[in-house]
């Protein structure tokens, strides 16, 4: 499994770098926005344009922006007052993805650190720069129970790595149990919810030996789905963290 590292960017350095247009975005007039920005907090916006990419922006309650251009996670403090997104210290994970998705991440970083203007248009977030416009739609949070959550990322502290190729693990929560598919021994775990905490009981498992990639993911899942874990749903994304380890899953089907 790829073990990514964290790259930190000074916003000024990125802005001075050679500017690249945001893929699939035409030149537009910058949208006007009213001062403020508190209304963005706690909301997640996404777009699948240009075709073949998924761009997500999540504004946290504590004033941070967490974004993805399809591969890595981009995050840092954001000031949304005055109708512009102002980022001072952006960091980005460095996972092993295909060149096109890496290029998409780089364009998104340049766009966000260039101080684009923003406005809300119904459920749309419109970001504008001198030569590009990005329009995203607010995501409605998927329910924890009844949704098929597909595991795509393993986390350890600030380190995040995509699940190994060929491993297709899912979690499905009902009222009392989470059913696990695609792993080796871990099949089901009893749990109860208490606010933003999930309290897991020891899981039902066998003692089979499977491919190393599957066993690596299973070990990570077993550590997270044990005892009290925090969880958060941002639109189509479920994040579960426990004692510095974490799983990130995406709603599927």
């Amino acid at each position: 499994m790829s073990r990514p590292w964290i790259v930190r960017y000074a916003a000024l350095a990125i802005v001075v770098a050679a500017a690249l247009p945001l893929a699939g975005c035409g030149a537009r007039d910058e949208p006007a926005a009213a001062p403020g920005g508190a209304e963005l907090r706690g909301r997640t916006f996404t777009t699948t344009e240009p075709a073949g990419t998924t761009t997500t922006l999540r504004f946290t309650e504590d004033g941070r922006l967490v974004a993805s251009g399809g591969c890595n996670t981009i995050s840092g403090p954001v000031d949304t007052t005055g109708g512009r997104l102002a980022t001072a210290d952006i960091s980005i994970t460095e996972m092993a993805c295909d060149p096109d998705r890496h290029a998409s991440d780089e364009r998104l970083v340049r766009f966000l650190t260039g101080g684009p203007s923003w406005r809300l248009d119904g459920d749309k977030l419109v970001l504008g720069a001198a030569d590009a416009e990005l329009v995203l739609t607010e995501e409605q949070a998927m329910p924890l129970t009844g949704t098929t959550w597909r595991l795509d990322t393993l986390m350890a502290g600030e380190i995040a790595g995509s699940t190994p190729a060929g491993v297709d693990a899912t979690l499905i929560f009902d009222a009392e149990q989470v059913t696990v598919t695609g792993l080796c021994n871990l099949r089901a775990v009893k749990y109860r919810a208490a606010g933003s905490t999930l309290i897991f009981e020891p899981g039902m498992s066998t003692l089979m030996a499977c491919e190393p990639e599957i066993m690596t993911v299973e070990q990570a899942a077993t550590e997270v789905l044990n005892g009290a874990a925090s969880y958060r749903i941002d639109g189509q994304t479920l994040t579960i963290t426990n004692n510095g380890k974490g799983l990130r899953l995406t709603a599927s089907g």
Side-chain angles (χ1 to χ4, degrees):
M1 181 179 67
S2 169
R3 303 302 275 176
W5 44 281
I6 300 291
V7 180
R8 288 212 168 262
Y9 292 91
L12 180 60
I14 296 177
V15 174
V16 173
L20 294 178
L22 195 65
C25 299
R28 306 284 179 86
D29 293 334
E30 295 185 18
E39 60 267 44
L40 293 181
R41 294 192 176 189
R43 302 173 73 175
T44 298
F45 300 86
T46 187
T47 180
T48 54
E49 295 294 336
T53 65
T54 299
T55 299
T56 301
L57 304 184
R58 178 170 62 87
F59 296 87
T60 69
E61 295 287 358
D62 61 353
R64 295 177 61 82
L65 172 63
V66 181
S68 172
C71 178
N72 290 283
T73 299
I74 303 158
S75 62
V78 62
D79 184 353
T80 57
T81 58
R84 289 192 175 274
L85 300 185
T87 54
D89 183 20
I90 286 290
S91 66
I92 177 170
T93 58
E94 189 68 16
M95 299 198 299
C97 298
D98 60 84
D100 287 344
R101 288 197 291 168
H102 273 301
S104 178
D105 284 342
E106 291 172 0
R107 286 190 292 268
L108 182 59
V109 169
R110 291 191 181 99
F111 182 75
L112 294 175
T113 56
S117 59
W118 69 270
R119 65 178 171 86
L120 289 171
D121 183 6
D123 65 347
K124 308 290 186 185
L125 172 63
V126 183
L127 302 180
D131 58 352
E133 182 180 84
L134 185 61
V135 181
L136 306 98
T137 302
E138 184 172 13
E139 280 191 348
Q140 299 302 313
M142 295 294 289
L144 175 67
T145 59
T147 301
T148 298
W149 297 102
R150 178 158 277 106
L151 178 60
D152 56 39
T153 304
L154 307 179
M155 299 176 291
E158 291 189 335
I159 304 300
S162 55
T163 55
V167 179
D168 184 18
T170 66
L171 305 183
I172 302 176
F173 290 81
D174 62 23
E176 298 179 346
Q177 176 177 284
V178 53
T179 300
V180 183
T181 66
L183 297 181
C184 185
N185 297 288
L186 186 61
R187 306 293 178 84
V189 184
K190 294 286 187 180
Y191 83 98
R192 59 184 175 87
S196 61
T197 299
L198 301 175
I199 303 172
F200 297 98
E201 299 176 8
M204 298 164 53
S205 64
T206 58
L207 297 175
M208 296 189 298
C210 298
E211 292 82 356
E213 295 81 5
I214 294 178
M215 298 301 291
T216 296
V217 175
E218 182 168 86
Q219 177 62 34
T222 299
E223 292 178 4
V224 174
L225 306 179
N226 183 24
S230 298
Y231 85 100
R232 183 184 70 240
I233 297 175
D234 301 300
Q236 305 286 314
T237 302
L238 167 64
T239 304
I240 307 173
T241 56
N242 187 347
N243 197 29
K245 303 290 182 65
L247 308 174
R248 188 174 69 193
L249 309 99
T250 303
S252 174

